[in-house]
């Protein structure tokens, strides 16, 4: 498989709140996805459950995990959702 490079940008808390932060758990799971994509070691297990599935990530934040899974798992479809800045800053939201 070709190498997929992802670049994400964290937002300052004042702009992105919790959703603009790159969480350690997301980084670790993205590393798991990358290991699977490269076929490395025991970290490669488990993805057969996701192959060919439709995946919805709620509260994706900066999207690192969902993008990593989409790049690593053959035949899956991944949709990422989160609030945008406009929705997060509206007084009536």
């Amino acid at each position: 498989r070709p190498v997929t490079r992802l670049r994400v940008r964290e937002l300052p808390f004042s702009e992105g709140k919790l959703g603009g932060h790159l969480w350690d758990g997301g980084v670790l799971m993205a590393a798991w996805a990358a290991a699977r994509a490269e076929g490395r070691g025991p970290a490669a297990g488990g993805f057969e459950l996701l192959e060919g599935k439709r995946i919805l990530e709620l509260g994706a934040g900066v999207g690192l995990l969902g993008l990593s899974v989409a790049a690593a798992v053959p035949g899956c479809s991944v949709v990422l959702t989160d609030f945008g800045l406009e929705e997060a800053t509206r007084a009536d939201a």
Side-chain angles (χ1 to χ4, degrees), residues 19-68:
H21 180 72
L22 191 54
W23 296 96
D24 292 344
V27 172
L28 290 172
M29 290 195 71
W32 176 63
R36 190 277 178 213
E38 296 171 5
R40 288 188 280 124
F47 267 84
E48 61 278 358
L49 298 172
L50 302 176
E51 290 180 359
K53 302 289 191 217
R54 297 182 330 177
I55 300 165
L56 173 63
E57 183 179 4
L58 302 174
V62 297
L64 178 63
L65 177 57
L67 292 170
S68 298

